[in-house]
Amino acid sequence: GDSVTQMEGPVTLSEEAFLTINCTYTATGYPSLFWYVQYPGEGLQLLLKATKADDKGSNKGFEATYRKETTSFHLEKGSVQVSDSAVYFCALYIKAAGNKLTFGGGTRVLVKP
Amino acid sequence: EPEVTQTPSHQVTQMGQEVILRCVPISNHLYFYWYRQILGQKVEFLVSFYNNEISEKSEIFDDQFSVERPDGSNFTLKIRSTKLEDSAMYFCAGGTSSYEQYFGPGTRLTVT
C-alpha cells in the first residue's frame, strides 16, 4: 500500500540554522505531496504542496521539491526561528486510492534561541 | 480567516459509553473528513464524506462509528460504545477539493 516515511525526531537546532526534514514515499499511483505543520496546542496546518514531478512548493520560507526519481519530498528552510518549533508531517494523496491523506509519522523540530 | 473548529477540546469518557465529537467546517467546504492519531503513532484516515454520504472509509471505521452532517454546518463523529483503544486525538478536516484538506485543532478523547 501507499506509505510515507519521515526522519525521526526530535530535531534540535539553533536559531538561523538550516533545517532539512527528509520525506520519502511509496505509492501505487501518481501522488500529490504535502507538508503539514502542527504548532503546540493547535491542529494540522497545510504548509505547502506539490502536485507533479519537479514542482516546488514554498511557504513561510519553507521549500520542498517533488522528486519522482527518488520518490522524495524533503522539507528545507534556510534560517529557522524559534517560532518554527513544531511537528512537521509529510503526506501524500492519490485520488484513485480514495479521498484520503496518508501521513508520515511526523518530525518534531525544536529551535533554541 | 475562517477556520475549522472542533468541540470539545478534551473529552473523557468511560469504556462502553457513547461519545459525539463535533466539528464546524468552513462554510464553503464540500468534502469532510475524520482522522485520528493515537499517541505516538501516525495520523490515520477514518472516513470521508461528500454530498451527504460516506465516500470512503478505512478498516478502523467499523460499525461502532458513524458520521452525520445533520444541519448543513456541523459534522459529527459518533462512537457508540467506546473502547480503551479509541483513546486518541481526533481531527476533523474539510476542503473545497478532495485533495486540499484543512484541519481543525482536534479533540483529545480519553477512554477510561
Side-chain angles (χ1 to χ4, degrees), chain A:
Chain A
D2 303 328
S3 66
V4 177
T5 303
Q6 290 179 236
M7 59 189 288
E8 288 195 17
V11 175
T12 304
L13 303 163
S14 297
E15 246 184 337
E16 300 182 4
F18 185 86
L19 171 67
T20 299
I21 304 175
N22 290 340
C23 169
T24 57
Y25 67 88
T26 58
T28 51
Y30 200 150
S32 296
L33 301 171
F34 303 83
W35 277 101
Y36 280 82
V37 58
Q38 185 177 32
Y39 298 104
E42 298 184 16
L44 298 165
Q45 296 179 23
L46 178 60
L47 181 59
L48 53 83
K49 67 179 187 287
T51 57
K52 60 184 188 298
D54 300 324
D55 268 2
K56 179 187 282 189
S58 60
N59 187 24
K60 299 182 181 179
F62 289 89
E63 291 183 342
T65 301
Y66 188 143
R67 300 286 187 205
K68 192 165 185 284
E69 64 276 14
T70 54
T71 62
S72 64
F73 192 54
H74 305 321
L75 183 68
E76 297 181 336
K77 186 173 185 182
S79 177
V80 293
Q81 305 300 311
V82 172
S83 56
D84 294 323
S85 298
V87 182
Y88 293 81
F89 294 90
C90 186
L92 68 80
Y93 172 92
I94 300 176
K95 188 172 177 61
N99 292 332
K100 62 183 180 185
L101 290 166
T102 299
F103 285 88
T107 303
R108 183 175 299 278
V109 172
L110 178 60
V111 181
K112 295 186 173 180

Side-chain angles (χ1 to χ4, degrees), chain A residues 3-5 32 34 36 38 41-44 46 49 51 89 93 95 97-101 103-105, chain B residues 31 33 35 37 41-45 47-48 50 55-56 89 91 98-106:
Chain A
S3 66
V4 177
T5 303
S32 296
F34 303 83
Y36 280 82
Q38 185 177 32
E42 298 184 16
L44 298 165
L46 178 60
K49 67 179 187 287
T51 57
F89 294 90
Y93 172 92
K95 188 172 177 61
N99 292 332
K100 62 183 180 185
L101 290 166
F103 285 88
Chain B
Y31 297 83
Y33 309 84
Y35 291 80
Q37 184 181 28
Q41 298 186 24
K42 291 187 177 185
V43 177
E44 303 172 289
F45 168 79
V47 65
S48 61
Y50 172 72
S55 50
E56 182 85 16
M89 181 73 90
F91 293 105
S98 58
Y99 75 95
E100 198 160 295
Q101 300 179 20
Y102 295 89
F103 284 73

Side-chain angles (χ1 to χ4, degrees), chain B residues 30-32 47-55 67 69 75:
Chain B
L30 302 174
Y31 297 83
F32 309 98
V47 65
S48 61
F49 192 85
Y50 172 72
N51 205 22
N52 285 323
E53 60 183 22
I54 291 173
S55 50
V67 289
R69 194 160 181 256
F75 180 51

Side-chain angles (χ1 to χ4, degrees), chain B residues 13-19 64 79-84 86 111-112:
Chain B
T13 189
Q14 289 190 327
M15 200 166 50
Q17 295 297 303
E18 174 183 286
V19 294
Q64 293 300 309
I79 309 175
R80 287 189 184 82
S81 178
T82 50
K83 307 184 191 70
L84 294 176
D86 293 328
V111 182
T112 61

